[in-house]
Amino acid sequence: DRKIDVLKSKVKYHRQSLNIKHAIHERETVFSLENNLEVIIKSKRFVSINNPHLICLEYSFSANKNINIVCKTGILGTVWDLNGPHLKDFKYTAENNYADLYCVTKEKNNILAVSTSLESENEPNTRSEGSPEFYQNITIDAQPGKTYTVYK
């Protein structure tokens, strides 16, 4: 099994941009692996203009050869502030390629919700749930040139 590690894997190309006018942060990295295998990872983060509390993520990956990719996507609730854990009262739901986390902030009791989905025909093959985190592992037989996307 190979893991792509931004600190250890060979990077062929990387770019990053920030569009302040439209509140979009983008990254694109091409990793060069053995046997001329290249994996492209793109991410886009943006803030809603209509709802300043809505922050979104689009995370895509593709490869130039057939490869099995295990996509571990999840929601981590271990957010800390100066006084310790910031979130409480975790509730999870999961169905097919969708997962949701609902919780409350400890200080002001604000409701927080995080949702994730993976655009793939494959069902999650493992789930790991343990307060305050939830992960789904989805194995994808990635086809050359096809893009797979996670939305949060």
Side-chain angles (χ1 to χ4, degrees):
D1 289 354
R2 297 176 291 244
K3 287 188 179 182
I4 294 179
D5 183 320
V6 296
L7 299 176
K8 297 177 185 173
S9 298
K10 183 179 176 188
V11 174
K12 179 179 178 181
Y13 171 81
H14 178 77
R15 88 173 165 82
Q16 182 171 223
S17 65
L18 176 62
N19 182 321
I20 295 188
K21 181 178 180 182
H22 294 105
I24 299 173
H25 176 247
E26 293 182 89
R27 290 183 190 203
E28 178 181 6
T29 307
V30 178
F31 292 95
S32 292
L33 306 174
E34 66 275 351
N35 300 321
N36 295 319
L37 173 63
E38 291 183 353
V39 176
I40 302 166
I41 298 176
K42 297 179 182 181
S43 68
K44 184 187 296 187
R45 294 174 180 91
F46 52 96
V47 178
S48 170
I49 196 164
N50 294 324
N51 181 351
H53 303 290
L54 179 62
I55 302 171
C56 301
L57 167 72
E58 181 180 294
Y59 189 88
S60 301
F61 53 92
S62 61
N64 67 338
K65 295 183 175 187
N66 284 353
I67 184 174
N68 279 341
I69 294 177
V70 177
C71 178
K72 181 178 182 180
T73 180
I75 303 164
L76 183 61
T78 52
V79 177
W80 284 61
D81 61 18
L82 292 175
N83 301 313
H86 187 56
L87 305 172
K88 64 181 181 176
D89 300 336
F90 296 93
K91 294 182 182 107
Y92 302 92
T93 61
E95 186 176 324
N96 301 321
N97 294 342
Y98 300 90
D100 303 300
L101 165 69
Y102 304 92
C103 55
V104 177
T105 62
K106 284 188 175 183
E107 185 177 346
K108 295 187 178 181
N109 288 317
N110 292 327
I111 296 171
L112 176 68
V114 179
S115 295
T116 183
S117 70
L118 176 63
E119 192 174 271
S120 170
E121 297 89 26
N122 300 14
E123 296 290 319
N125 50 13
T126 60
R127 285 196 172 102
S128 172
E129 182 177 330
S131 186
E133 56 191 53
F134 179 89
Y135 292 101
Q136 293 177 293
N137 290 326
I138 301 172
T139 302
I140 298 168
D141 181 20
Q143 303 300 311
K146 185 170 180 182
T147 300
Y148 303 87
T149 305
V150 175
Y151 299 97
K152 290 188 178 190

